[in-house]
Amino acid sequence: MINIYCDESCHLEHDNSNCMVLGAVSCPANKVSEISKELRKIKQKHNLSNNYELKWTKVSNGQINYFKDVIDYFCSNNDISFRAVVADKTNLRHSDFNQTHDEWYYKMYYLLLLYLITPSKPYNIYLDIKDSQGGLKVLKLQEILNHSLYKFYNETVKKIQQIRSNESELLQLSDFLMGAVAYMNRN
């Protein structure tokens, strides 16, 4: 079983950003506890509370060594991988494709996830909560992913659900890495 933790940045249609970035951290499900403990140890090493939330928006010179240690840990751990999709928002023409911005958003999630998934392995996917209407949409995303892989009975994507970022060290890691990618790609 592989777990995938996803987050987004600049996903609103009119947020004055030229791009939207979706990011995903993946790892074997049996390594989640170990990786989470190691990420908490890094917080403790830098005198941060276990409740301190790792996020790109918190990067500062005052805690730069903490963020460097997180990057070093990520780069040295072969069980963790990261993928991002950067989507240009400057020329969106939703009406030409008979879609809403929200539908486009989930199409971009499909592109992010499709290349992370191997049909012969099972996956649990966790998305940061975007809004109160996301529950049914993530179930539709699960259905579309499984159908595109010719797995019609949720054989590959076993579960997809929204969670709060403060509940998952790996979702926080996804936010942090994806935020760096977004920073490099925004105007």
Side-chain angles (χ1 to χ4, degrees), residues 57-161:
T57 57
K58 291 187 177 183
V59 171
S60 67
N61 286 331
Q63 293 295 337
I64 199 69
N65 290 327
Y66 164 65
F67 296 107
K68 286 180 179 180
D69 283 351
V70 170
I71 293 289
D72 288 345
Y73 175 73
F74 168 73
C75 291
S76 67
N77 189 321
N78 293 328
D79 290 321
I80 309 170
S81 62
F82 176 73
R83 173 176 161 73
V85 167
V86 179
D88 184 355
K89 296 189 324 186
T90 57
N91 295 309
L92 291 176
R93 300 180 332 267
H94 295 312
S95 60
D96 290 358
F97 299 95
N98 196 29
Q99 68 187 9
T100 66
H101 186 75
D102 199 51
E103 290 166 331
W104 175 78
Y105 167 87
Y106 284 100
K107 288 178 181 179
M108 296 302 102
Y109 251 122
Y110 171 82
L111 290 176
L112 172 73
L113 294 167
L114 185 63
Y115 295 99
L116 282 173
I117 295 172
T118 303
S120 60
K121 297 179 182 176
Y123 293 83
N124 290 322
I125 301 172
Y126 302 96
L127 282 70
D128 193 17
I129 293 176
K130 176 181 157 244
D131 58 38
S132 59
Q133 279 97 52
L136 291 176
K137 293 173 184 170
V138 297
L139 292 176
K140 184 67 173 175
L141 179 59
Q142 177 184 15
E143 177 186 324
I144 291 168
L145 282 165
N146 279 321
H147 285 193
S148 69
L149 299 166
Y150 303 103
K151 304 293 183 180
F152 299 105
Y153 302 102
N154 295 340
E155 296 165 351
T156 300
V157 179
K158 298 284 190 184
K159 173 172 63 173
I160 187 167
Q161 72 180 61

Side-chain angles (χ1 to χ4, degrees), residues 50-61:
N50 279 343
N51 296 328
Y52 180 85
E53 197 167 341
L54 172 63
K55 298 173 76 77
W56 176 256
T57 57
K58 291 187 177 183
V59 171
S60 67
N61 286 331

Side-chain angles (χ1 to χ4, degrees), residues 4-73:
I4 301 175
Y5 300 86
C6 305
D7 201 2
E8 82 284 321
S9 180
C10 306
H11 64 282
L12 300 174
E13 186 170 11
H14 302 291
D15 59 7
N16 296 319
S17 178
N18 62 311
C19 65
M20 174 179 75
V21 180
L22 301 171
V25 165
S26 60
C27 71
N30 64 353
K31 296 289 186 170
V32 169
S33 179
E34 174 188 327
I35 292 167
S36 297
K37 285 178 188 173
E38 291 300 317
L39 288 168
R40 283 191 293 276
K41 281 183 187 177
I42 297 170
K43 289 178 185 179
Q44 291 167 355
K45 174 183 171 186
H46 294 278
N47 298 316
L48 299 170
S49 161
N50 279 343
N51 296 328
Y52 180 85
E53 197 167 341
L54 172 63
K55 298 173 76 77
W56 176 256
T57 57
K58 291 187 177 183
V59 171
S60 67
N61 286 331
Q63 293 295 337
I64 199 69
N65 290 327
Y66 164 65
F67 296 107
K68 286 180 179 180
D69 283 351
V70 170
I71 293 289
D72 288 345
Y73 175 73

